[in-house]
Each structure stands twice: as C-alpha cells, then as structure tokens.
Amino acid sequence: GAVVSQHPSWVICKSGTSVKIECRSLDFQATTMFWYRQFPKQSLMLMATSNEGSKATYEQGVEKDKFLINHASLTLSTLTVTSAHPEDSSFYICSGLAGGGFGGELFFGEGSRLTVL
Amino acid sequence: AQSVTQLDSQVPVFEEAPVELRCNYSSSVSVYLFWYVQYPNQGLQLLLKYLSGSTLVKGINGFEAEFNKSQTSFHLRKPSVHISDTAEYFCAVSSNTGNQFYFGTGTSLTVIP
C-alpha cells in the first residue's frame, strides 16, 4: 500500500512554544489530507480536512488559530500547534486520501505523540 | 450523514479461538466500509475494505468481513487469533463522495495466551 510518513514521532516541548508536525505522502499524491487527534484508549477525533492549495476545513470545536494546517503541495501537509499547553498533549495522526472520490482509500501516518510540559 | 457503531469496546479471546468484532453503520446513501487496525503508538493500517461486489471481503492477516446491507453491518472475523492480533480495531465508513471518513469508537482486542 501507499506510504504516509509523519514526523516527528515524538516531541516534548515547553508550554507556550509552537510545534510543527509534518505529514508526507511518499508514493502518491494526496489532494486531501486529514488530521486527527486521539486520546488514550479512544477513537480518532477528526480535527480538520485539508485540500492542497486551499484553506483547511476545521471540525466544530477545533480552534483554527491554535491548530494551523497548511497543505502547500500534493505530498505535504503540516500541522502547527501554536502556543502549546499541557492540555494539547495528545497523539496526532494524519492521513492522505489516495485515489480520491468514490472508493478512495485512506493511508495513515504513524502518528506523532506530543507532550507539553 | 453517516455514523458507525462498534458495540464492543473490549474483546478478550484466547489464542487460537475465533473472534468476531461487530460494526454497524447508518447511512441514507451508499457507502464504502473499512476496517483498520492500530498497534500501540502507531498509525492505522488498513485490514480490508468493501467497495462493491462480493459481500464477503478477505483482508490481511487472515481477517475477513461480511457486508450485510439489510442489517447495516460489517462485522470482522478471524477463525483463529494469534497473540500478535492484540490491537485496537476501528470500523469506518466513507461517504458517497469518498472524501469523508467516519470512525467507530474502536474495539480493543486482547488475545490471551
């Protein structure tokens, strides 16, 4: 299957700093990428949908100014957690949609665990 | 809108025993159905998917699922589980536009030696 690379896998930062997480589709073009947040032993919570070259669409309750998403190319989307606080600590997962349209398949990155001290 | 229900949050099963993880969905339109597996501290990996055709779908690692339109179900089965199958399993449905995915709350499968 297609490969999505997410970096970094683990990041620890101080409260108030910003953290950028990259999501790359290595062998396919992902016009649509999704960002999820996952709390321990819970399902994935969709944060936003990003389409290449346009603004991301955020789910209700997700602060767009805090979670900045950029999808500058067909193979790269970034999530920046601005002014991170301990409550932002979580497992963040991205996915890229291959094929698109009807029956398109999601390929997931391996996730990034953010710990804010 | 679509939604997915996974009735069992935790399923313990002995090694080499069969297992079924349940998934029901609701939708007013045709959908595509998926099962994903997540190992600790990792992303999700596709196990299998139903797009059309045969309602019995075979996936990786010996898993299979059957699409039942009348019961709006897509249960995942394996005839004999291994220790390595211990993981979190997510059922998902995609909209008929194909660019929105909805996930169930997940089922934690624990295989007991």
Side-chain angles (χ1 to χ4, degrees):
Chain A
V3 177
V4 173
S5 174
Q6 201 171 329
H7 177 81
S9 306
W10 296 82
V11 57
I12 301 173
C13 69
K14 292 182 178 180
S15 184
T17 60
S18 294
V19 174
K20 179 185 284 188
I21 301 169
E22 291 187 349
C23 179
R24 294 180 184 273
S25 57
L26 298 185
D27 49 4
F28 70 100
Q29 293 183 331
T31 54
T32 302
M33 285 187 169
F34 303 90
W35 286 93
Y36 301 86
R37 183 173 181 178
Q38 186 179 33
F39 293 101
K41 299 189 183 300
Q42 293 188 25
S43 187
L44 285 73
M45 181 190 79
L46 179 64
M47 298 176 66
T49 302
S50 75
N51 292 293
E52 185 265 339
S54 62
K55 290 184 178 181
T57 302
Y58 290 82
E59 295 297 303
Q60 191 172 7
V62 178
E63 298 176 62
K64 60 182 66 177
D65 294 331
K66 181 166 191 60
F67 299 100
L68 300 179
I69 292 172
N70 183 275
H71 194 161
S73 76
L74 288 173
T75 58
L76 174 64
S77 177
T78 60
L79 167 68
T80 301
V81 183
T82 62
S83 186
H85 289 97
E87 58 266 29
D88 299 324
S89 298
S90 192
F91 193 53
Y92 293 90
I93 305 175
C94 72
S95 67
L97 183 60
F102 218 33
E105 185 173 328
L106 278 184
F107 293 93
F108 287 82
E110 293 195 344
S112 299
R113 183 162 300 284
L114 170 64
T115 301
V116 185
L117 302 177
Chain B
Q2 291 79 35
S3 67
V4 180
T5 302
Q6 289 182 249
L7 295 170
D8 307 303
S9 59
Q10 295 185 351
V11 173
V13 63
F14 286 103
E15 191 175 15
E16 298 184 3
V19 70
E20 177 180 85
L21 306 183
R22 296 181 292 170
C23 173
N24 288 88
Y25 70 93
S26 66
S27 176
S28 58
V29 298
S30 297
V31 295
Y32 294 136
L33 296 155
F34 306 80
W35 274 99
Y36 288 87
V37 60
Q38 184 183 31
Y39 299 102
N41 296 310
Q42 294 188 25
L44 276 68
Q45 179 183 4
L46 180 68
L47 275 178
L48 48 80
K49 61 182 177 182
Y50 172 78
L51 303 182
S52 64
S54 173
T55 56
L56 182 62
V57 180
K58 294 188 183 297
I60 63 172
N61 300 341
F63 284 94
E64 63 180 33
E66 186 158 17
F67 170 59
N68 188 317
K69 188 175 182 178
S70 62
Q71 296 186 6
T72 60
S73 67
F74 191 54
H75 301 331
L76 180 71
R77 303 186 184 96
K78 186 170 182 177
S80 176
V81 295
H82 300 138
I83 296 292
S84 59
D85 293 323
T86 294
E88 192 81 16
Y89 291 80
F90 292 96
C91 181
V93 59
S94 74
S95 65
N96 59 350
T97 58
N99 60 0
Q100 288 182 319
F101 285 74
Y102 302 89
F103 286 85
T105 51
T107 298
S108 178
L109 174 65
T110 302
V111 180
I112 305 164

